[in-house]
Amino acid sequence: GESVGLHLPTLSVQEGDNSIINCAYSNSASDYFIWYKQESGKGPQFIIDIRSNMDKRQGQRVTVLLNKTVKHLSLQIAATQPGDSAVYFCAENSEGNNRLAFGKGNQVVVIP
Amino acid sequence: EPEVTQTPSHQVTQMGQEVILRCVPISNHLYFYWYRQILGQKVEFLVSFYNNEISEKSEIFDDQFSVERPDGSNFTLKIRSTKLEDSAMYFCASRPQVRPYEQYFGPGTRLTVT
């Protein structure tokens, strides 16, 4: 697979502002698209999912948008807080399939 | 809140040695997984385990790898003859019957092969 290397795309955002994290996915046959958050020294943590037949889903302070035409997924975080500082990964899953296929990470740094 | 635990947090081993990474999944979960993350790269699926057998494995999970659920609580990953390129964070995950995309990850074991 493609090597990402040590340098992650980084989004620096002021505390209280909104954040938008983007992901391009590859498998148009995936049934679910998911966002995971990975804080330093921890494993990935589920944030929110969206089924492939939807284009928007809202959670608590987060919104996921799915554009199947251009195979693009985004995560919007409202009123970003210092605890939101982490690496965010998009992932795909297909029904009948156990695995999560993770995409490249995006580092979010919240400036107090 | 129940969580997945992993031991050790850091394992250093010499090339060619065998290592066993241990995990205790969440108690009522039925599906168990191992993933790995090479430093700075994305998380990669290794294997899934259900009903005491491997349900799916990736091309990374070759003959040097094996998994076992030796008792009702532990889930282990064995790497038989470690190579330098096995150095990575290894994450265990588990999930209940539904929502295969919502997996609960442990904190990881950092494996360093020298």
Side-chain angles (χ1 to χ4, degrees):
Chain A
E2 184 180 347
S3 174
V4 174
L6 294 177
H7 232 44
L8 290 174
T10 300
L11 172 69
S12 296
V13 59
Q14 205 72 37
E15 182 178 357
D17 287 353
N18 297 334
S19 305
I20 300 176
I21 309 158
N22 297 301
C23 173
Y25 65 87
S26 55
N27 185 1
S28 55
S30 294
D31 297 296
Y32 294 95
F33 300 90
I34 314 103
W35 282 100
Y36 275 79
K37 171 186 179 183
Q38 186 178 24
E39 296 174 86
S40 181
K42 296 185 179 180
Q45 178 186 10
F46 172 86
I47 303 174
I48 191 168
D49 66 279
I50 187 167
R51 197 178 169 94
S52 60
N53 61 356
M54 300 170 65
D55 52 25
K56 181 178 180 179
R57 186 157 188 236
Q58 286 187 290
Q60 188 177 17
R61 271 200 319 118
V62 294
T63 301
V64 57
L65 299 176
L66 176 63
N67 184 333
K68 292 184 286 295
T69 304
V70 294
K71 295 186 183 177
H72 185 267
L73 186 70
S74 67
L75 179 71
Q76 300 176 3
I77 305 174
T80 312
Q81 302 169 358
D84 295 327
S85 292
V87 176
Y88 290 81
F89 291 94
C90 60
E92 304 169 54
N93 175 256
S94 299
E95 279 184 355
N97 193 319
N98 275 303
R99 70 174 73 186
L100 289 171
F102 283 89
K104 300 174 188 179
N106 285 268
Q107 176 99 47
V108 172
V109 176
V110 180
I111 304 164
Chain B
E1 188 175 323
E3 57 185 23
V4 176
T5 60
Q6 290 185 244
T7 55
S9 56
H10 191 188
Q11 173 90 49
V12 181
T13 190
Q14 287 190 323
M15 196 167 51
Q17 295 296 303
E18 175 182 286
V19 294
I20 297 176
L21 310 183
R22 302 179 191 279
C23 168
V24 179
I26 295 173
S27 63
N28 62 344
H29 285 185
L30 301 176
Y31 293 81
F32 314 113
Y33 303 83
W34 285 101
Y35 290 82
R36 78 172 185 191
Q37 184 179 32
I38 295 170
L39 182 63
Q41 298 190 22
K42 57 187 178 183
V43 178
E44 301 174 290
F45 169 81
L46 292 177
V47 66
S48 61
F49 192 86
Y50 171 72
N51 201 24
N52 284 318
E53 61 182 22
I54 291 174
S55 51
E56 192 177 345
K57 59 183 180 179
S58 73
E59 56 280 0
I60 303 169
F61 194 89
D62 60 23
D63 291 344
Q64 67 162 152
F65 292 94
S66 62
V67 289
E68 195 176 33
R69 188 155 163 82
D71 53 45
S73 59
N74 289 282
F75 180 51
T76 62
L77 175 69
K78 182 191 289 187
I79 309 175
R80 255 178 281 281
S81 177
T82 50
K83 299 178 283 200
L84 293 176
E85 55 264 39
D86 294 327
S87 295
M89 281 290 283
Y90 287 80
F91 292 105
C92 174
S94 68
R95 69 167 177 92
Q97 180 76 27
V98 295
R99 297 165 64 90
Y101 46 83
E102 187 174 350
Q103 299 178 13
Y104 295 77
F105 285 76
T109 292
R110 177 165 297 287
L111 176 66
T112 302
V113 183
T114 61

